[in-house]
Amino acid sequence: MKLAEAAPGPSAAFAAVDRSLREGPLDPVVRELVKIRASQLNGCVYCLDLHAAEARRNGEGEDRLLQLAVWPESELFTEAERAALAYTDQATRLVDGVDDPTWEALAEHFTTEEIGALVAQVALINAYNRIGVPTRRRPGD
């Protein structure tokens, strides 16, 4: 099933949010990293493939893409990227919510507007993953 055909209104609304986030204050590198990370956690092959390809087009290195799955152990990510990835992991897993140290780390590296965009971006990619996984979207669809 393709959401754009089955539910054109909601699909267009998701696309509008995506366009707004691409025009927003969040660094494009961070934006793609969190999309890829959430897609890894959610097992969304379609989104993982799509956003890894976009990150490569934007100059992201293969070594960082490969180490993203184990980012806490990797030395290739900046402190700001690590804060965004920690938020992404916690917000995606929703086990205990997002802890205070994670919010504090975000506040050290990002403006309020950037944090708002990050929260929205992680929510949006999780929504897209929850469409892609159950509808069995595959790369190239």
Side-chain angles (χ1 to χ4, degrees), residues 95-119:
V95 175
D96 294 316
V98 177
D99 62 28
D100 290 340
T102 299
W103 285 114
E104 291 162 8
L106 287 175
E108 288 178 30
H109 299 285
F110 297 98
T111 66
T112 301
E113 292 78 17
E114 290 170 325
I115 294 170
L118 176 68
V119 168

Side-chain angles (χ1 to χ4, degrees), residues 37 67-75 77 82 85-86 89 93:
R37 181 60 183 153
Q67 290 188 27
L68 188 53
V70 292
W71 71 265
E73 291 78 32
S74 175
E75 296 177 359
F77 300 96
R82 297 174 74 71
L85 292 167
D89 281 14
R93 289 184 173 129

Side-chain angles (χ1 to χ4, degrees), residues 14-57:
F14 281 124
V17 172
D18 183 64
R19 279 190 305 279
S20 174
L21 288 167
R22 287 175 185 275
E23 296 167 0
L26 192 60
D27 181 278
V29 171
V30 171
R31 190 175 61 238
E32 291 308 311
L33 289 175
V34 301
K35 289 178 189 179
I36 295 165
R37 181 60 183 153
S39 298
Q40 288 174 336
L41 294 171
N42 290 323
C44 186
V45 66
Y46 176 82
C47 291
L48 183 57
D49 183 73
L50 177 72
H51 297 296
E54 187 164 339
R56 285 183 191 100
R57 281 192 303 276

Side-chain angles (χ1 to χ4, degrees), residues 1 9 15-16 64 82 130 132:
M1 179 181 80
R64 284 172 35 103
R82 297 174 74 71
R130 280 156 180 79

